């Protein structure tokens, strides 16, 4: 079964608008992380939220976590063209090391 | 402070050849993870290694694929007798040897094309 499913799969917005994407997962987690991937590049870590946290902010990013619903959301406020990328949630179940399980991603296009 | 370095960036192999992908972790990191990404999909875990040890290879195909992380030198992901289905982007990530859970640092990947 897939751990970490993002919704929507794709999102197109105008610069200045907010972008919201959601992630659902199936098993218990230690933490949940969000990453960004620009086309042709590796993933860049954005934010980590622990299982005992409900909300976290970093600049224009806001992440929420609802462990009872096994879901998380990432909000990007006042989006910019440079925010165009794919966004992935990843779950850390506490297995050996920092092994992560990734979802399929949300492709965000911010139009100038 | 160089990040995770992967080479080559692009690799073209004919069916039946061998592919060797290299990954040098960030300085001070002793944990290495390999992931595979098909077009328009997320990353799928393959293997997690520490120096000279394979810790978790649950995502690695049983045949043709192998990984190592020697005491000296980069981690190597080796694919023998490649087939078209092996065409993908292969990403390496590293993390420090701490007890706390920490994010992964990714390289820019190796794009393998099998013709």
């Amino acid at each position: 079964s897939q751990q970490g499913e993002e919704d929507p799969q794709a999102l197109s917005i105008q610069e200045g608008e907010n972008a919201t994407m959601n992630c659902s997962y199936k098993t218990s987690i230690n933490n949940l992380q969000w990453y960004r991937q620009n086309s042709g590049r590796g993933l860049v870590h954005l934010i980590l939220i622990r299982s005992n946290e409900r909300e976290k902010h970093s600049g224009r990013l806001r992440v929420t976590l609802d462990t009872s619903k096994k879901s998380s959301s990432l909000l990007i406020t006042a989006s910019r063209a440079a925010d165009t990328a794919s966004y992935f949630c990843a779950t850390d179940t506490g297995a050996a090391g920092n092994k992560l399980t990734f979802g399929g991603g949300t492709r965000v296009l911010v139009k100038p | 402070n160089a990040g995770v370095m992967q080479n080559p960036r692009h690799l073209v192999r004919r069916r039946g050849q061998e592919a060797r992908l290299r990954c040098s972790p960030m300085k001070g990191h002793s944990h290495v993870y390999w992931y595979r990404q098909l077009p328009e999909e997320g990353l799928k875990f393959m293997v997690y290694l520490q120096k000279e040890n394979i810790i978790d290879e649950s995502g690695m195909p049983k045949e043709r694929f192998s990984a190592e992380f020697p005491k000296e030198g980069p981690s190597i992901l080796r694919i023998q007798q490649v087939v078209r289905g092996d065409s993908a982007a292969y990403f390496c990530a590293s993390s420090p040897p701490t007890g706390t859970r920490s994010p992964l640092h990714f390289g820019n990947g190796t794009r393998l094309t099998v013709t």
Side-chain angles (χ1 to χ4, degrees):
Chain A
S1 61
Q2 179 75 15
Q3 176 86 331
E5 294 284 353
E6 280 94 337
D7 168 55
Q9 288 189 317
L11 186 58
S12 180
I13 56 174
Q14 293 293 137
E15 211 166 23
E17 293 181 338
N18 295 343
T20 300
M21 58 210 88
N22 304 295
C23 168
S24 60
Y25 57 92
K26 290 180 167 52
T27 63
S28 303
I29 61 170
N30 180 288
N31 66 68
L32 185 143
Q33 303 175 32
W34 286 89
Y35 287 78
R36 184 185 73 214
Q37 183 181 36
N38 289 90
S39 182
R41 305 297 295 268
L43 277 70
V44 174
H45 177 256
L46 295 176
I47 198 163
L48 181 155
I49 186 165
R50 293 188 168 77
S51 59
N52 60 353
E53 298 175 309
R54 291 296 165 259
E55 189 170 310
K56 206 159 183 183
H57 297 254
S58 176
R60 294 183 295 111
L61 305 180
R62 174 177 167 255
V63 167
T64 63
L65 179 65
D66 186 335
T67 52
S68 67
K69 294 181 179 176
K70 290 187 168 59
S71 68
S72 173
S73 68
L74 170 66
L75 167 67
I76 306 172
T77 60
S79 62
R80 304 167 182 168
D83 294 329
T84 294
S86 291
Y87 292 81
F88 295 90
C89 71
T91 52
D92 177 347
T93 60
N98 291 296
K99 174 185 170 183
L100 297 177
T101 302
F102 286 85
T106 294
R107 279 155 280 288
V108 175
L109 172 63
V110 181
K111 293 183 266 189
Chain B
N1 187 14
V4 177
M5 303 301 292
Q6 289 189 250
N7 67 83
R9 285 296 309 275
H10 300 275
L11 182 61
V12 179
R13 285 286 178 267
R14 290 198 178 93
R15 278 181 297 170
Q17 291 185 320
E18 179 180 288
R20 278 183 180 241
L21 289 61
R22 286 176 289 278
C23 168
S24 295
M26 278 185 72
K27 189 174 180 181
H29 287 191
S30 58
H31 296 202
V32 165
Y33 312 77
W34 285 94
Y35 285 83
R36 176 163 62 179
Q37 184 179 37
L38 295 172
E40 307 298 318
E41 292 190 11
L43 276 70
K44 297 287 189 282
F45 170 78
M46 298 181 74
V47 62
Y48 158 47
L49 310 101
Q50 294 178 20
K51 285 280 186 182
E52 300 185 282
N53 282 305
I54 297 175
I55 308 301
D56 181 346
E57 56 182 347
S58 57
M60 193 108 93
K62 294 286 184 282
E63 296 178 354
R64 303 188 298 107
F65 285 72
S66 63
E68 62 176 10
F69 188 16
K71 189 176 180 181
E72 302 290 339
S75 175
I76 306 286
L77 179 67
R78 183 180 175 212
I79 312 172
Q80 295 177 289
Q81 299 170 357
V82 295
V83 300
R84 289 224 171 101
D86 297 332
S87 295
Y90 292 84
F91 289 94
C92 170
S94 70
S95 68
T98 62
T100 57
R101 314 304 288 184
S102 59
L104 298 184
H105 297 260
F106 281 85
N108 282 324
T110 293
R111 275 142 193 87
L112 172 65
T113 302
V114 179
T115 61

